[in-house]
Amino acid sequence: MRLAFVGKGGSGKTTLSSLFARYATRRGPVVAIDADINQHLGLALGLDGGLAGGTAGDPPPLGGMLTEIKDYLRGDNPLIRDTASMVKTTPPGRGSRLVRLNDPFFPSRSVEGVSLMVTGPFEENDLGVACYHSKLGAVELYLNHLVDGPGEYVVVDMTAGADSFASGLFTRFDLTILVAEPTRQGVSVYRQYRDHAAGFDVEIAVVGNKIHAPEDVDFLREHVGDDLLTWFGHSPAIRGMEQGRPFTLDNLEPAGHLALATMLDRLDAQPKDWTKFGRQAAEFHIRNAHAWANRATGEDLVAQIDPGFVYGPAVASS
C-alpha cells in the first residue's frame, strides 16, 4: 500500500510520517520517501543532522538522477522514442522496466528498519531558475512503475499545503493522510485539499495533531466530520525525539501506539485498485502532454500510452 502524508507547514506531518514508517515495519517492508522541500524525514527517523535541507546520512538524491531514472525505467518500450522524450508522467507500457519495492537501482539508506529515499534539497544552481516539482518527477516515475505487493508499504512525506496538486503525484497513493491541527488554518488546508481532490477518487483520512484537550477533538470533528480517523495529543516522547534525544517506538506512550495502529489498520483495509491507478496515470499524462510536454519535446506524447498494458502484479510476473 502507498500512503502520502500532507498538511499545513508545521502541522507535524514529517514527524508523523517518520513514526508511521517505523510502526509499519512491524507488518512488512517499508520504503519512506522524503518529497518535501525541507528534507527533514531522515532527521526525524534518527539520522545525524547535517547541512540545512537534509542530513549527513541521507542517500544520494533521486532528484539528481532524473535522466538515469528515465533511461532505466524506459527499458525497451517501443512507444518511448528516447530518454529525452520521457517526462515525469510517462506511464509504463509493454517493454518498460517495472520495479519492486526495494529495487537496488534506486538509492536508499536503511534507518530504523525503514529504507529511506530522498528527492534532495535545492542545489545552488537551482535557485531562481527551477521549481521543486522538477525533483518530484523522480518520485512520480518511481511510483508509476512500481508494482508493490501485499504487506509492502511506501510512505511519502509530501510538500506542505496544496502544493501537492501541482502534478498528478497526488493520485499515486492508496490513501492520503492529512495532518491537521485543531485550528482554523489547519482545517482550511483540509478543505482546500478535499476540494482539489474531488472528482479524482482520492481517499483522504484526517489525523489530528497537537491535541491538548477534548475540545480540540470536538473542533476537528465539527469541521472534518467522518474524515477524522485518529489524533495525537501532547507526547513527551515525541518532543524528546524532535529535540534529538534517543528514541524508539518503545518510548512512545500507549495513546500514540493506538493512533498508529488505527492508521495502519485503515491503510490495510483500503482495497488496491490497479484499474483506477492505470486510468489516472493515462489521464494525467494526457493533461501534461497537451499543457506543456508536447511543446517541450516536439512530439505527441499521448502516443506513449500503451492501451494494451495492464497494471498490477500479474503483468509484472509475466
Side-chain angles (χ1 to χ4, degrees), residues 77-79 91-94 278-279 282 286 301-311:
N77 185 336
L79 300 181
R94 285 167 289 186
R279 183 182 69 249
I286 292 170
L301 297 189
V302 175
Q304 292 178 337
I305 298 173
D306 182 353
F309 180 77
V310 179
Y311 287 79

Side-chain angles (χ1 to χ4, degrees), residues 12-317:
K13 67 178 182 60
T14 298
T15 296
L16 297 192
S17 297
S18 72
L19 290 172
F20 182 85
R22 284 178 166 104
Y23 190 83
T25 61
R26 298 181 174 188
R27 294 193 191 173
V30 176
V31 165
I33 303 177
D34 192 345
D36 188 2
I37 190 172
N38 292 319
Q39 295 287 283
H40 289 156
L41 185 57
L43 196 65
L45 283 169
L47 291 180
D48 292 335
L51 298 176
T55 67
D58 278 351
L62 300 177
M65 51 185 295
L66 192 55
T67 299
E68 293 87 346
I69 289 173
K70 290 178 179 180
D71 191 55
Y72 181 72
L73 297 177
R74 182 169 67 96
D76 57 5
N77 185 336
L79 300 181
I80 305 174
R81 184 182 63 186
D82 52 28
T83 301
S85 66
M86 190 172 181
V87 296
K88 64 182 182 179
T89 57
T90 297
R94 285 167 289 186
S96 296
R97 192 189 306 272
L98 303 179
V99 299
R100 294 295 188 176
L101 192 70
N102 282 307
D103 189 301
F105 175 83
F106 293 88
S108 65
R109 167 81 183 273
S110 180
V111 52
E112 293 291 324
V114 175
S115 295
L116 173 67
M117 298 181 188
V118 302
T119 52
F122 261 148
E123 305 292 343
E124 185 175 349
N125 57 1
D126 294 325
L127 299 177
V129 297
C131 73
Y132 197 69
H133 302 111
S134 60
K135 298 183 183 295
L136 295 180
V139 180
E140 192 163 354
L141 284 166
Y142 170 75
L143 293 178
N144 272 344
H145 292 75
L146 174 67
V147 182
D148 42 336
E152 297 178 337
Y153 301 96
V154 179
V155 179
V156 181
D157 182 24
M158 296 281 283
T159 52
D163 203 39
S164 305
F165 289 95
S167 74
L169 185 57
F170 75 97
T171 66
R172 304 295 82 196
F173 302 99
D174 299 294
L175 178 66
T176 294
I177 293 288
L178 190 142
V179 181
E181 298 171 82
T183 63
R184 289 183 297 175
Q185 297 93 324
V187 297
S188 71
V189 171
Y190 157 76
R191 293 194 190 99
Q192 190 178 34
Y193 204 102
R194 179 200 61 194
D195 293 346
H196 286 331
F200 294 105
D201 200 14
V202 173
E203 290 288 335
I204 300 175
V206 174
V207 172
N209 196 29
K210 305 180 184 179
I211 302 297
H212 293 285
E215 291 79 11
D216 290 339
V217 178
D218 293 341
F219 177 86
L220 287 176
R221 281 204 179 105
E222 177 187 352
H223 290 279
V224 309
D226 292 340
D227 283 343
L228 182 62
L229 177 64
T230 187
W231 56 87
F232 288 79
H234 174 69
S235 165
I238 293 176
R239 177 53 58 89
M241 179 192 79
E242 293 175 328
Q243 293 173 343
R245 293 199 288 271
F247 174 86
T248 70
L249 284 178
D250 292 336
N251 303 121
L252 188 62
E253 298 83 4
H257 279 273
L258 180 60
L260 290 171
T262 300
M263 294 162 65
L264 187 52
D265 288 343
R266 171 65 180 85
L267 179 62
D268 282 343
Q270 180 66 31
K272 189 76 169 179
D273 192 343
W274 286 108
T275 301
K276 180 182 76 172
F277 186 83
R279 183 182 69 249
Q280 290 180 333
E283 176 185 345
F284 277 90
H285 184 58
I286 292 170
R287 285 177 173 227
N288 279 264
H290 291 161
W292 65 271
N294 286 351
R295 183 173 64 254
T297 60
E299 59 180 290
D300 180 11
L301 297 189
V302 175
Q304 292 178 337
I305 298 173
D306 182 353
F309 180 77
V310 179
Y311 287 79
V315 69
S317 299

